[in-house]
Amino acid sequence: MVRSFSQASKGAVRNFYHTLRIELGADIDITEIIPGVIESEITKGKIFTEEGRLEVDQDLRDASLGIVPIERTKAFARAVVERVCSDARWVLEPPWYIGLYYIRMLIPEVAEWGMRLLFVTPPGVPATEDLAKKLANLPFVKEILYPPSVRSPEIKRD
């Protein structure tokens, strides 16, 4: 369910900026930033439990991300600033994300099928047993796709 709320909020923000462009016209420049997966507290596995406690659950993180590359924060910030300074209407970052973005827009059935295949488990099977987690646990996958700050077993819990 976490993915549902995250995507809904991103969609709301995206539609808000599209509406602003229409209402304000050429009076103001708006650059829409459409991030993929960026190095953050969430990609480090930090979650709030139902009781409201902050915990680190890297198994759940791996099940949520699987084989999705995580972009480093500095690279993301550098790319965003560069594109905003060039008056871009939108920034899709990291660069590989544009392919997924177009698949979601043009052939959403394929995107949905892929997401279900990777991230949805049958009833009674924990989310940490999904195909995405199994793929993330293959040799060298995390070393290639996850920055060192995300892979560290010593992630601060505050």
Side-chain angles (χ1 to χ4, degrees):
M1 275 316 237
V2 173
R3 187 173 281 115
S4 302
F5 294 115
S6 172
Q7 293 302 315
S9 65
K10 286 180 183 180
V13 169
R14 198 169 298 133
N15 286 324
F16 172 72
Y17 286 119
H18 286 290
T19 304
L20 272 182
R21 274 197 193 107
I22 292 166
E23 291 176 353
L24 300 176
D27 293 340
I28 188 167
D29 289 330
I30 297 172
T31 301
E32 181 182 345
I33 299 170
I34 306 166
V37 179
I38 310 301
E39 179 181 26
S40 68
E41 298 301 306
I42 293 171
T43 59
K44 292 178 182 179
K46 289 186 178 182
I47 60 164
F48 281 103
T49 65
E50 289 181 10
E51 297 80 30
R53 288 189 317 273
L54 180 65
E55 291 185 0
V56 175
D57 188 339
Q58 292 182 326
D59 284 334
L60 186 58
R61 182 267 328 266
D62 293 348
S64 297
L65 297 176
I67 56 171
V68 176
I70 300 171
E71 183 167 24
R72 293 174 186 257
T73 307
K74 283 185 180 180
F76 174 74
R78 197 172 293 121
V80 168
V81 169
E82 184 178 296
R83 294 291 313 274
V84 168
C85 289
S86 69
D87 294 328
R89 278 181 64 90
W90 58 80
V91 178
L92 281 157
E93 188 63 32
W96 62 264
Y97 188 64
I98 194 164
L100 292 180
Y101 186 78
Y102 283 123
I103 289 171
R104 281 185 62 196
M105 301 308 288
L106 300 173
I107 44 177
E109 296 85 1
V110 172
E112 292 165 12
W113 174 82
M115 294 292 280
R116 278 193 301 274
L117 177 69
L118 289 171
F119 301 109
V120 177
T121 57
V125 177
T128 54
E129 296 294 320
D130 66 15
L131 179 59
K133 173 130 179 10
K134 292 174 184 170
L135 293 172
N137 285 335
L138 291 173
F140 303 109
V141 169
K142 291 180 198 172
E143 287 78 7
I144 295 168
L145 300 177
Y146 295 6
S149 66
V150 171
R151 295 191 315 261
S152 171
E154 297 300 318
I155 293 175
K156 294 193 305 187
R157 297 180 183 274
D158 53 340

